[in-house]
Structures are given as structure tokens and as C-alpha cells.
Amino acid sequence: MEITYFAIIIGSIFVNNVVLSQFLGICPFLGVSSKVETSLGMGAAVTFVMALSSIVVWLIQYYVLQPLGIEYMQTIVFILVIAALVQMVEIILKKVSPSLYGALGIFLPLITTNCAVLGVAILMIQKKYTLLQSFTYSVSTAVGFALALVIFAGIRERLELDEVPEAFKGVPIALITASILAMAFMGFSGLV
């Protein structure tokens, strides 16, 4: 049965949200999500990297690794591709938006080791998606990542204004909020 693009999009954004269902990319999710503006920037950067890496990785997998019989090099090659793309994003952000570059700080180079980006690259190959399906899956997953980041950042900004018991301030309330948000997204599991 051929999977529809609608199913890929809805499944990637809501049902199998990379952060809230698969628990990939938790480090930037918790680290960058204190302000909505920063979360939007990180979401855009991850979307850009995932979109480009999906195309490059798919082409490398099917036109280099498989014909040469070196599929076992997949993880190393994918990490190198992702690292190169992150470097490109870092250079572009430094020139175009120095304030966002400064706000993202150490989390921007960490996109290279963001298991969500590598996980999506490997999953799209395992699912045997076509090039267009891989691109759709990667962009949708990145949108789901960005959505989770922005929602969580908005909640965290709101929590800073509310009275929270002393024992729950900071990381504890952030983790409780993240778990409730993950449970809310699990409600979408009946859609696809």
C-alpha cells in the first residue's frame, strides 16, 4: 500500500512527533525553549538542515553507498553531510542575523549531533521513501520539531510569570510541562 503525502505530513508533525513521541532532539528542546523567538530560529535552522540533508542523504544512499555495496558507512556519511550543512547554516546565520546567532549560542553547532536530524535521515532510508517522500517526511518532521519547541517555549514564558512552588521552579516544572505536552500529542495517535 502506497503511503499518501497527507499521512506522511500529519504523521510526522503530530502522531510521531520527533520530540514528543520518539524523544529525539530533547537537548535543544529543553535548552533553547526558554523564549519563543529563539525557538522559532532553532526550528527554522533545523528545518533548513533537515530539508537539505534529506535530499543529499537520499542521493548519496541510492547513488553512492548502495551501488558500491558500502551501506555500512551510512551513519558516518550521514553525520558528515549533516555537519557540513550545519556549518553552512552557522555561517549564513552569523552574517544574516547576528542576534539570532548569538541567542542560539552553543545549540546551533549541536544540531550536528542532534539525534533527531540523524534519526530522520536514517528512518527515511529504512522506510524506503522516494526522494519526494523523503523530502516531505524530513520537512514535516522538522515542522513538528519546531511546533513542539515553540509551544513549549510559550508555556515556559507563561510559567515565568506565574507563581510556581519553590520546589518546582526551573527544570522540574519544565520537565513536568514537557511530559504533559507529550501526553497531549499522544492523543493524536488515533489519526493516522
Side-chain angles (χ1 to χ4, degrees), residues 30-190:
L30 293 173
V32 180
S33 61
S34 57
K35 295 191 183 308
V36 172
E37 183 180 324
T38 309
S39 297
L40 284 169
M42 176 58 105
V46 168
T47 302
F48 182 75
V49 169
M50 275 195 195
L52 282 181
S53 69
S54 69
I55 294 169
V56 174
V57 158
W58 192 92
L59 292 171
I60 288 173
Q61 176 71 23
Y62 290 106
Y63 290 107
V64 178
L65 298 179
Q66 281 187 354
L68 295 176
I70 54 173
E71 294 93 344
Y72 59 88
M73 297 290 292
Q74 181 184 65
T75 304
I76 294 169
V77 171
F78 289 4
I79 289 172
L80 291 173
V81 167
I82 292 165
L85 291 172
V86 169
Q87 283 297 111
M88 187 175 71
V89 168
E90 197 170 355
I91 291 167
I92 292 169
L93 270 181
K94 195 173 189 178
K95 279 284 190 203
V96 173
S97 179
S99 60
L100 180 58
Y101 175 80
L104 290 174
I106 189 66
F107 293 101
L108 189 57
L110 286 178
I111 295 174
T112 303
T113 58
N114 184 344
C115 53
V117 178
L118 179 60
V120 167
I122 291 172
L123 282 171
M124 69 180 197
I125 299 299
Q126 286 178 348
K127 293 180 181 196
K128 296 183 178 14
Y129 283 157
T130 64
L131 181 59
L132 187 56
Q133 287 174 328
S134 295
F135 181 77
T136 303
Y137 176 70
S138 296
V139 171
S140 300
T141 301
V143 167
F145 177 82
L147 178 67
L149 221 60
V150 170
I151 290 171
F152 190 55
I155 293 170
R156 284 181 76 178
E157 282 183 359
R158 171 79 176 144
L159 282 172
E160 286 181 16
L161 303 173
D162 286 342
E163 286 187 34
V164 177
E166 192 64 37
F168 289 108
K169 286 187 178 178
V171 174
I173 195 67
L175 293 174
I176 291 168
T177 305
S179 64
I180 292 170
L181 188 59
M183 286 190 290
F185 266 70
M186 297 250 179
F188 290 115
S189 64

